Amino acid sequence: MGSFSIWHWLIVLLIVVMVFGTKKLKNMGSDLGGAVKGFKDGMKDGGATPDTAATPPAGQVANSQAADKTTIDVEAKQKS
């Protein structure tokens, strides 16, 4: 009484396919798979050694005082 039979699940699957369509379900599945893969890669990167974590990634400017003196924060600049 508490569990559903195979026929119940087949009817639910049929209704879901009719509502969303196979193309949209395929896109949602690939997006979900990409999100899971990205999460796993992020978890692997989280366990990196401190030496590799201290260096900034390529293309990013390190937060140093030399960069602070020459850069201008456009959003922080007040209108005159």
Side-chain angles (χ1 to χ4, degrees):
M1 184 169 173
S3 65
F4 292 109
S5 70
I6 188 72
W7 293 109
H8 290 106
W9 290 115
L10 288 175
I11 291 171
V12 169
L13 180 65
L14 179 68
I15 291 171
V16 168
V17 169
M18 287 174 52
V19 169
F20 293 109
T22 57
K23 186 174 181 180
K24 193 165 196 173
L25 288 174
K26 181 181 175 187
N27 290 341
M28 287 188 330
S30 63
D31 290 343
L32 180 65
V36 169
K37 184 176 180 182
F39 178 75
K40 286 182 180 179
D41 290 342
M43 292 302 290
K44 286 180 185 176
D45 292 342
T49 61
D51 294 336
T52 59
T55 59
Q60 287 187 348
V61 177
N63 191 8
S64 65
Q65 290 182 355
D68 290 339
K69 291 179 183 177
T70 59
T71 58
I72 299 172
D73 189 4
V74 177
E75 292 183 15
K77 188 176 178 181
Q78 295 180 354
K79 294 181 182 179
S80 51

